[in-house]
Amino acid sequence: MWNDLPSTTRTGASFSIFKKLLKTLLFRERDLVLCAGTGSSIFSSLQDLPSAVWPCRSKVEKHLQVISVLQWVLSFLAMGIACTLLLVYMFCTDCWLIAAVYTAWLIMDWNTPRQGGRRSSWVRNWTMWTYFRDYFPIRLIKTHDLLPSRNYVFGYHPHGIFCFGAFCNFGTEATSFSKKFPGIKPSLATLAGNFRLPVLRDYLMSGGICPVNKNSMDYLLSCNGTGNAVVIVVGGAAESLHCAPGMNSVTLQNRKGFVKLALQKGSDLVPVYSFGENDAYKQVFFEEGTCWKSLQKKLQKILGFAPCLFYGSSWGIVPFSNPITTVVGEPITVPKIENPTPEVVDLYHGMYVRSLHGLFEKYKTRFGMKESDVLHIQ
């Protein structure tokens, strides 16, 4: 049909089409140049492209959430060992001077974790932690005000596998701890052995995480003013060996050291319970008396943590995206007694147990549990 038209008509039509195309391109280029500062025209131009080119926003956010959680799990499991091996390797290469300088600085900085650490507001406010929070999601519930003129010992329950709720709420600002508890500075206590490993120690300290040992606790509660909240995962490694989805069991009956610490420093006790913490992973349990159970207990004594055999949703290591809700209970006023008797420790330990039990009973049905669910204290 095109060939049936006169040549002059064909030439005019071609020129008209070319003119329209050129005009469209020129206007588009002008918009891109004029609005390069705001990016508005660029964005609108890109929107004209077929939608199939762009991934779904929700999928991108989900991938970022998985990456943020995975990096924390891998960092906790492998960063310290990997960086230690890398440091040793560097001594055998042309980079030995860098390794030597870092090692010298590490020796000079050895006591920093025991003296309040090196908290970084920038690291605690990383956007990555909001993706970490939203993966589960994790929420922080405030029930009572805390006075900046006092120091506090938080007892966190249950341990779970990786203490996701404890880390997100007290090791980052993803759930706005500082806004909900103004004037209070949380310090999450974890194994002292983690602070002997290069790079990992600095990563942990940047989030306000400290070693759970006497020197560190004494400094934070006695030499660092007021408004400090030391968060201790009371159940520890022993509790992690018993965690499973739907299980409400805490190791607390014979854990009284944190109560004695609170009495010696005159710091108020605060019970904290995380609903859903045990639902992050499923765990393979070994029967008592088997060689695997014996090996697990021996490694726990040697390493200080329990080598659990667990699995999650993706690749076995990514946790299930079940909600975790951390409820901070009412503080228990504690007097300062430098040498508390066992009877006094038992008295305040009993008050703490009753307070934790009441916290669980009050909020359990609000966060996905049944009325018949009971908190087992071992």
Side-chain angles (χ1 to χ4, degrees):
M1 181 178 178
W2 176 267
N3 292 329
D4 294 337
L5 295 173
S7 60
T8 55
T9 304
R10 292 200 305 270
T11 303
S14 299
F15 180 75
S16 178
I17 293 172
F18 176 76
K19 185 177 179 181
K20 288 181 179 179
L21 287 172
L22 181 61
K23 186 176 180 181
T24 301
L25 290 172
L26 287 174
F27 273 111
R28 181 61 55 84
E29 184 178 0
R30 182 197 65 182
D31 289 342
L32 291 173
V33 171
L34 290 177
C35 298
T38 61
S40 59
S41 231
I42 295 176
F43 183 71
S44 61
S45 301
L46 292 174
Q47 282 185 319
D48 293 340
L49 293 175
S51 59
V53 175
W54 305 107
C56 178
R57 181 182 177 85
S58 61
K59 289 184 178 180
V60 172
E61 289 187 349
K62 189 62 179 178
H63 288 318
L64 290 173
Q65 291 169 10
V66 172
I67 291 171
S68 66
V69 173
L70 188 59
Q71 72 80 27
W72 167 247
V73 172
L74 293 178
S75 295
F76 192 81
L77 289 176
M79 178 185 283
I81 297 174
C83 290
T84 301
L85 294 176
L86 178 61
L87 188 64
V88 173
Y89 171 75
M90 288 175 66
F91 273 108
C92 303
T93 67
D94 294 337
C95 298
W96 67 268
L97 183 59
I98 297 175
V101 171
Y102 178 80
T103 302
W105 175 83
L106 189 64
I107 294 172
M108 294 175 59
D109 194 59
W110 193 252
N111 290 325
T112 299
R114 299 185 232 172
Q115 299 172 351
R118 194 165 36 246
R119 181 186 303 261
S120 169
S121 297
W122 176 65
V123 174
R124 285 177 61 87
N125 284 281
W126 275 353
T127 303
M128 176 174 65
W129 304 131
T130 63
Y131 289 112
F132 183 100
R133 174 199 67 198
D134 294 339
Y135 174 79
F136 294 93
I138 296 173
R139 289 189 296 164
L140 178 65
I141 305 299
K142 171 185 175 180
T143 62
H144 292 80
D145 291 329
L146 299 181
L147 300 176
S149 59
R150 298 283 295 173
N151 284 329
Y152 299 91
V153 175
F154 284 21
Y156 183 89
H157 314 269
H159 184 285
I161 298 293
F162 281 105
C163 302
F164 289 118
F167 169 71
C168 185
N169 288 306
F170 308 117
T172 78
E173 286 295 331
T175 55
S176 304
F177 180 92
S178 296
K179 292 180 180 179
K180 293 178 179 178
F181 299 97
I184 305 299
K185 185 166 60 177
S187 297
L188 176 61
T190 187
L191 290 174
N194 291 323
F195 296 89
R196 301 188 185 102
L197 301 174
V199 182
L200 176 63
R201 67 191 293 276
D202 301 289
Y203 191 34
L204 294 176
M205 283 194 293
S206 65
I209 301 175
C210 64
V212 59
N213 58 29
K214 188 178 185 301
N215 292 331
S216 179
M217 301 295 100
D218 286 347
Y219 182 88
L220 289 169
L221 297 175
S222 300
C223 308
N224 201 38
T226 60
N228 299 291
V230 174
V231 185
I232 301 175
V233 185
V234 179
E239 192 172 86
S240 65
L241 288 174
H242 302 288
C243 71
M247 185 175 290
N248 311 306
S249 177
V250 297
T251 302
L252 178 60
Q253 199 66 48
N254 296 317
R255 299 296 174 101
K256 301 178 182 180
F258 73 104
V259 177
K260 184 177 181 180
L261 172 69
L263 285 164
Q264 290 174 333
K265 305 303 176 184
S267 302
D268 294 347
L269 286 165
V270 182
V272 180
Y273 195 88
S274 265
F275 296 90
E277 183 70 66
N278 285 341
D279 298 335
Y281 289 104
K282 293 181 180 179
Q283 185 175 177
V284 178
F285 294 102
F286 301 109
E287 294 183 5
E288 291 291 340
T290 62
C291 59
W292 291 109
K293 190 66 174 180
S294 300
L295 178 62
Q296 206 172 34
K297 289 183 177 180
K298 287 180 181 178
L299 289 175
Q300 178 187 337
K301 291 181 180 179
I302 296 172
L303 302 175
F305 65 91
C308 306
L309 186 58
F310 59 88
Y311 60 95
S313 60
S314 302
W315 308 305
I317 199 169
V318 179
F320 296 106
S321 55
N322 297 318
I324 298 175
T325 305
T326 303
V327 184
V328 180
E330 182 179 4
I332 302 169
T333 303
V334 174
K336 184 175 182 178
I337 305 174
E338 292 186 3
N339 295 301
T341 63
E343 291 75 19
V344 173
V345 173
D346 288 342
L347 173 65
Y348 281 92
H349 181 268
M351 292 171 61
Y352 180 88
V353 170
R354 289 190 294 273
S355 181
L356 177 65
H357 191 270
L359 184 70
F360 178 85
E361 289 296 321
K362 183 177 180 180
Y363 291 95
K364 64 181 180 181
T365 55
R366 301 186 193 184
F367 304 120
M369 292 189 176
K370 303 175 183 176
E371 187 64 42
S372 58
D373 287 334
V374 178
L375 178 63
H376 299 282
I377 298 178
Q378 299 178 348

